[in-house]
Amino acid sequence: MNATSLFFQQFINGFSLGSIYALIALGYTMVYGIVTLINFAHGDIMMIGAYAGYFVLCAFGASVPSFALAFFAAMLFCGLLGIFIERMAYRPLRNAPRLNSLITAIAVELILQNLMRVLPFAGPDPRQFITPNMGVIQFGQFSIAGIKFFVIVVSIVLMVALHILVNHTKTGKAMRSVSFDPVASSLMGINVNRTIAVTFAIGSVLAGAGGVLYASAYPQIDPMMGYMPGLKAFVAAVLGGIGSIPGAMIGGIILGIAETMTKGYGPSQYADAISFGILILILLVRPTGLLGKKRVIKV
């Protein structure tokens, strides 16, 4: 493999990984943008989505239709789980001090991880994720694995769909209104509780999709699998500007490419250090992130 082909392959791998980070980061940034809460359980919702897809594939086999069914089942289940978590854990603390919600988010994360460890149909041992054979797609002298091409295409489609929903629908207008001023939004007739629940559901749907895509690209699942991707997706959200949807997309892509290029051209053990080094650098140079905006806080 010549230098050009190697660079192209590493770039595609990085773009594929970055697309997954971007999907998960969108959940972080949407929730923060509307209720200023860092939902640290988001990575574990991704893990639940991977398990949901795994059980569907075990039941129906590793065919392309079964994979599509697993994909939608994971998104649906995670969407319902996100609504449940928001209603039971976060809504009662909405007017409490910010630290209470942060501690609750960490508690929900630990509950989800340990619940999957003790459930008899899951357990602590890693499992091999089943993926259909999608072959190799050729682009001239370059080739890309079918599963990575699928990850990139599905991620882009979901991000475009989210952009349309947020900017061109009534639900999206309500979400933008509540993120700007929830009190004024309620006075204008917007159901704030429902809008926040919908935001959690959409973010969790994207996390469920990210879980299946991540397990497809790196086919092994376990109850702790969501921790590091979730943490890196949070880094991506901060890198792009927490609260900015385009920023989360760009941050995820940059982080995925940077991590993969480090593994391809340097010591692979430095990949995580590079990711968090980028976070430190952006916080020093531009604390609001690449596309973040300064907020004026009235006191």
Side-chain angles (χ1 to χ4, degrees):
M1 182 180 291
N2 58 40
T4 303
S5 298
L6 177 61
F7 178 82
F8 176 80
Q9 190 63 54
Q10 294 300 335
F11 180 83
I12 291 298
N13 291 340
F15 197 90
S16 173
L17 179 61
S19 300
I20 298 172
Y21 286 158
L23 279 181
I24 306 169
L26 285 169
Y28 279 111
T29 206
M30 288 176 64
V31 169
Y32 182 85
I34 202 166
V35 292
T36 61
L37 167 70
I38 302 298
N39 181 19
F40 282 113
H42 197 64
D44 295 285
I45 294 176
M46 167 204 148
M47 175 268 295
I48 298 291
Y51 269 94
Y54 168 80
F55 290 129
V56 171
L57 288 170
C58 286
F60 295 98
S63 63
V64 174
S66 299
F67 188 72
L69 178 62
F71 196 75
F72 288 111
M75 291 194 293
L76 176 61
F77 186 79
C78 287
L80 296 175
L81 178 62
I83 293 174
F84 177 78
I85 291 174
E86 188 276 332
R87 181 65 183 86
M88 302 304 295
Y90 298 141
R91 188 179 299 182
L93 299 173
R94 192 172 297 161
N95 297 318
R98 194 73 52 81
L99 183 61
N100 293 21
S101 299
L102 179 63
I103 294 172
T104 301
I106 296 173
V108 172
E109 176 187 27
L110 294 173
I111 289 170
L112 292 177
Q113 289 176 2
N114 288 282
L115 183 64
M116 294 302 291
R117 287 171 61 89
V118 301
L119 287 175
F121 55 81
D125 297 328
R127 300 188 181 209
Q128 187 74 15
F129 193 82
I130 306 169
T131 54
N133 184 11
M134 297 186 180
V136 177
I137 299 174
Q138 200 74 27
F139 293 99
Q141 60 177 333
F142 303 114
S143 62
I144 174 175
I147 190 65
K148 292 190 181 295
F149 183 76
F150 175 81
V151 167
I152 292 172
V153 170
V154 171
S155 299
I156 291 174
V157 168
L158 289 174
M159 287 187 275
V160 170
L162 177 66
H163 175 78
I164 293 172
L165 186 148
V166 170
N167 292 286
H168 301 286
T169 66
K170 188 176 180 180
T171 299
K173 187 181 292 184
M175 291 165 61
R176 286 183 282 127
S177 175
V178 172
S179 69
F180 185 76
D181 192 331
V183 176
S185 299
S186 65
L187 294 175
M188 295 300 294
I190 295 174
N191 189 325
V192 174
N193 285 334
R194 184 172 63 189
T195 302
I196 293 174
V198 168
T199 303
F200 269 85
I202 294 172
S204 299
V205 163
L206 295 176
V212 174
L213 294 177
Y214 188 86
S216 301
Y218 306 93
Q220 182 173 285
I221 61 173
D222 64 82
M224 300 298 293
M225 65 170 286
Y227 177 74
M228 189 54 72
L231 195 57
K232 290 181 179 177
F234 172 66
V235 172
V238 174
L239 172 62
I242 191 76
S244 169
I245 290 177
M249 299 177 188
I250 295 172
I253 299 298
I254 291 174
L255 199 66
I257 292 175
E259 181 180 332
T260 305
M261 289 298 179
T262 302
K263 292 178 179 178
Y265 292 97
S268 59
Q269 62 266 30
Y270 291 161
D272 291 343
I274 290 293
S275 300
F276 295 109
I278 292 174
L279 173 64
I280 294 171
L281 181 64
I282 198 68
L283 290 176
L284 290 173
V285 176
R286 186 176 172 83
T288 57
L290 296 176
L291 300 183
K293 297 179 181 179
K294 292 183 179 181
R295 290 192 175 190
V296 178
I297 301 176
K298 297 180 180 180
V299 295

